[in-house]
Amino acid sequence: MATVSAKAEDVKRSWFVVDANGKTLGRLASRVASVLKGKTKPIYTTHVDTGDFVIIVNADKIHLTGKKLDQKTYYSHSGYPGGLKSVTAGKLMKTKPERVIKMAVEGMLPKTRLGKQMLSKLKVYAGEKHPHAAQQPAEMKF
């Protein structure tokens, strides 16, 4: 028996559509992160991006449990003194609901060049329409 290690040119990528309507943010993000990593495939290799493309629609209808809409805070810093900005999840859901899902998935991916490459395969849209119909994405069930 020999251990087979996947190569980048051997990977066949698929497209999946996920409807986020009524789904819990963390559960959705963890499932999407495992698909982006490629952990659902038998050829999964840690040092190769073997994941698939994921399209998330209805990002504005995602569900946050508990008091997270009021209490969960996202921080960003400009790099200058006094440049710390904060916004609650509720405000971010009203203005940019795509960012909430993208940041949740980003936190579950590796913090390396490979992780950034995996995150680039994630497409998030607030409404039901997406411009990726030509890729013939399959519906992902939870």
Side-chain angles (χ1 to χ4, degrees), residues 85-107:
K85 294 181 183 178
S86 64
V87 64
T88 62
K91 277 189 181 177
L92 199 59
M93 284 294 291
K94 288 178 185 168
T95 57
K96 299 176 186 173
E98 306 93 11
R99 281 296 297 151
V100 174
I101 295 178
K102 200 158 197 157
M103 289 191 319
V105 173
E106 184 179 4

Side-chain angles (χ1 to χ4, degrees), residues 15 18 33 80 89 93 117:
W15 286 75
V18 177
Y80 290 98
M93 284 294 291
Q117 185 179 348

Side-chain angles (χ1 to χ4, degrees), residues 58-121:
N58 290 325
D60 53 347
K61 296 181 178 103
I62 197 85
H63 177 68
L64 290 164
T65 60
K67 299 179 183 177
K68 289 190 186 87
L69 281 175
D70 302 322
Q71 294 179 351
K72 184 167 180 61
T73 308
Y74 294 99
Y75 295 100
S76 63
H77 200 283
S78 66
Y80 290 98
L84 183 66
K85 294 181 183 178
S86 64
V87 64
T88 62
K91 277 189 181 177
L92 199 59
M93 284 294 291
K94 288 178 185 168
T95 57
K96 299 176 186 173
E98 306 93 11
R99 281 296 297 151
V100 174
I101 295 178
K102 200 158 197 157
M103 289 191 319
V105 173
E106 184 179 4
M108 298 180 185
L109 292 175
K111 280 50 168 188
T112 59
R113 286 182 281 177
L114 191 60
K116 289 180 182 170
Q117 185 179 348
M118 291 173 186
L119 189 65
S120 69
K121 294 186 313 243

Side-chain angles (χ1 to χ4, degrees), residues 28-42:
L28 174 79
S30 64
R31 179 70 193 267
V32 168
S34 70
V35 172
L36 289 173
K37 284 181 191 178
K39 285 197 154 198
T40 58
K41 293 183 173 184

